[in-house]
Amino acid sequence: VSTMNAKASSGGEEEASGMRSKTLGESVSSGRVKKGQVILVAYLIATLELTFLFMQMGVMPYLAKSLRLDSVGLGYLQTTFGVLQFVGGPIFGRFADHFGTRAALILSCASGSAFFLLMSISTSIPLLFLSRLPAVFMHGLPGAQKVITDLTTPSQRTDALGKLGLCFGIGIIIGSALGGVLSTKFGIFVPTYVGLVGNLINTMIAMVCIPLQAKPKSDHHVTEHSKYLVIREILRLMKFPGVMEVFIVKVFAGLPIGLFLIMFSIISMDFFGLEAVESGYLMSYFGVLQMVVQGLVAGKLTNHCTERTLLRLSIFVFAGVGLGMALMRTVWHYCIIAVPMVFAFSMLGTITDSILTKAVPSSDTGTMIGICASVQPLTRMVGPTIGGVLYKQFGVSSFGYLQLIVNIGLFVYLLKSTIPLREMKSQ
């Protein structure tokens, strides 16, 4: 009986998604824009927003130093950014469900403009902290995920979402390099001016090129829930079969390495002995790896393997990465470990996002994407405190041992679990 129900649910989701795609397709066609072009525009918006975001991340420590903000204050600044993004993720997702993807992307890009405007006039520490406030609605990547989710069927979704990793890689490479060059040659505030203009352009792109999408009929009943608090919506979605289990795996699998990456600016100086320029090269190396994994590896694997298999593979590789980090001694060791680490991060993010958006009704995909987008800000929120304690008390190897233990436990759990995943390959 359960098998028949699972098949019926699977078919229903495929049919519902097909109806949604058809509805959105009609809206897209009415604007004389093809679905594929709209998805490409979503990729462009995400790439530009990530580029400007990484650009300001590279400049922020120097801007903070020029304002005489010490390392502890910089940690508070990063935590503030993480808290705002964590709180804003589910709200942004719900906004997208109620008002449409176009409105959500415009909100994200406009918030980015306000973010860089405030940052460009931050001549004091209070203003610098105030400039973090618009980050609550800066969610260009989840916005692009929402576009892709609305315009693809479940069988196409994993591969389409995976290509967003290319946007992430490009953002790291160009953003890190651009921030360093602009701040060094033209002044510390010039990257903020570029980010402001770029986000205004991004806002115009979203207004002109993303169609005003009609809502599917199935969305009508969801408007009745608009009075509910976001917390109640999150708890409701977590009750769907498999959602809570997969979300827990998503949160904890990469948490130890996430803590390590939060502390990386300090570790790169103290443990690896790198200069600022060398750290920039290392970030670009990560960006290239991200592009290679998403462009050459991820797509082929999603076409030939089921989501259950890829989820287990990601966790297994993460466990191996933990062992490697525990034994790591030089930056060259880290460069080798980075290959499987980027692979596991990319696959885990893509697969879990795909599984979770398929597990909820089509009218709730925006909220689910927003919840998924809150995982990284959650790490940034707790990272400076927990990561600092681990590094100071137990050293760099503690991140590796914790990663190994957590992922061995998750791998055993996935082998024995009965999480209702559809055995579907991307077509």
Side-chain angles (χ1 to χ4, degrees):
V1 176
S2 61
T3 304
M4 292 176 64
N5 289 338
K7 290 182 178 179
S9 174
S10 173
E13 166 67 15
E14 187 78 42
E15 182 180 354
S17 181
M19 291 175 63
R20 180 173 74 248
S21 295
K22 183 178 179 182
T23 304
L24 295 177
E26 290 171 357
S27 173
V28 171
S29 297
S30 67
R32 296 181 181 180
V33 182
K34 294 180 181 179
K35 281 190 204 177
Q37 291 176 329
V38 175
I39 292 175
L40 285 176
V41 170
Y43 287 145
L44 174 62
I45 291 173
T47 301
L48 290 174
E49 182 157 320
L50 287 165
T51 297
F52 301 134
L53 190 62
F54 280 108
M55 182 176 68
Q56 72 86 26
M57 283 181 179
V59 172
M60 181 52 63
Y62 301 98
L63 179 57
K65 186 178 180 180
S66 71
L67 297 176
R68 298 180 180 178
L69 186 67
D70 60 17
S71 58
V72 175
L74 183 59
Y76 288 144
L77 192 68
Q78 292 174 329
T79 301
T80 301
F81 186 85
V83 169
L84 289 169
Q85 289 246 297
F86 176 73
V87 172
I91 299 173
F92 178 84
R94 205 66 198 153
F95 181 90
D97 282 333
H98 282 292
F99 299 102
T101 309
R102 181 171 178 265
L105 281 172
I106 291 172
L107 174 64
S108 176
C109 297
S111 298
S113 301
F115 176 86
F116 280 100
L117 176 62
L118 289 171
M119 194 173 164
S120 68
I121 59 172
S122 294
T123 54
S124 65
I125 293 175
L127 274 176
L128 189 61
F129 273 87
L130 183 64
S131 71
R132 307 294 94 181
L133 192 58
V136 71
F137 294 123
M138 287 171 56
H139 297 281
L141 190 60
Q145 289 176 321
K146 174 66 174 167
V147 172
I148 292 167
T149 301
D150 285 349
L151 294 178
T152 57
T153 61
S155 59
Q156 301 168 328
R157 192 172 302 164
T158 305
D159 184 48
L161 288 173
K163 288 185 173 65
L164 280 171
L166 289 171
C167 304
F168 196 86
I170 293 171
I172 292 177
I173 295 170
I174 298 178
S176 301
L178 190 61
V181 171
L182 290 176
S183 61
T184 301
K185 294 197 172 185
F186 304 103
I188 196 69
F189 282 101
V190 171
T192 65
Y193 304 145
V194 172
L196 171 60
V197 174
N199 273 278
L200 289 172
I201 293 172
N202 232 5
T203 306
M204 295 301 298
I205 293 173
M207 293 175 67
V208 173
C209 300
I210 300 294
L212 185 62
Q213 297 170 346
K215 277 187 173 292
K217 293 181 181 178
S218 61
D219 279 1
H220 176 71
H221 76 279
V222 179
T223 58
E224 300 299 323
H225 294 286
S226 60
K227 300 175 184 178
Y228 287 28
L229 295 173
V230 172
I231 295 296
R232 294 188 66 178
E233 290 296 316
I234 294 173
L235 294 176
R236 180 176 65 84
L237 294 182
M238 288 297 163
K239 293 178 182 178
F240 283 95
V243 170
M244 178 64 81
E245 293 89 341
V246 173
F247 187 72
I248 288 173
V249 171
K250 181 180 182 69
V251 170
F252 287 100
L255 181 59
I257 287 184
L259 298 177
F260 170 83
L261 294 175
I262 292 292
M263 300 297 299
F264 186 72
S265 59
I266 296 174
I267 293 172
S268 64
M269 290 187 293
D270 294 348
F271 187 77
F272 293 133
L274 299 181
E275 299 292 335
V277 176
E278 294 168 327
S279 294
Y281 291 151
L282 199 56
M283 288 297 293
S284 296
Y285 170 67
F286 280 126
V288 172
L289 284 180
Q290 181 86 20
M291 293 176 64
V292 171
V293 168
Q294 295 292 164
L296 301 178
V297 180
K300 293 181 180 179
L301 285 177
T302 55
N303 288 332
H304 294 90
C305 302
T306 63
E307 290 175 338
R308 186 187 298 274
T309 301
L310 290 176
L311 183 59
R312 289 172 175 170
L313 175 63
S314 300
I315 300 302
F316 181 77
V317 172
F318 255 147
V321 169
L323 179 60
M325 287 182 63
L327 303 175
M328 176 177 65
R329 294 293 178 269
T330 69
V331 69
W332 298 110
H333 294 163
Y334 184 56
C335 288
I336 295 171
I337 295 167
V339 177
M341 182 175 74
V342 169
F343 168 81
F345 257 128
S346 301
M347 290 306 303
L348 180 74
T350 301
I351 295 300
T352 52
D353 286 352
S354 178
I355 292 170
L356 291 169
T357 54
K358 293 174 188 177
V360 299
S362 60
S363 54
D364 290 311
T365 53
T367 306
M368 192 72 251
I369 289 171
I371 294 170
C372 292
S374 295
V375 174
Q376 190 176 11
L378 174 63
T379 305
R380 284 201 297 265
M381 194 166 63
V382 302
T385 303
I386 300 176
V389 170
L390 284 174
Y391 179 57
K392 289 180 181 178
Q393 298 295 326
F394 306 103
V396 172
S397 61
S398 63
F399 295 101
Y401 286 122
L402 184 60
Q403 179 75 16
L404 175 62
I405 293 169
V406 168
N407 281 274
I408 286 177
L410 290 175
F411 185 71
V412 172
Y413 170 70
L414 287 175
L415 288 177
K416 295 183 176 181
S417 71
T418 56
I419 298 175
L421 303 181
R422 271 184 292 160
E423 294 297 314
M424 178 183 294
K425 303 174 186 177
S426 298
Q427 299 297 325

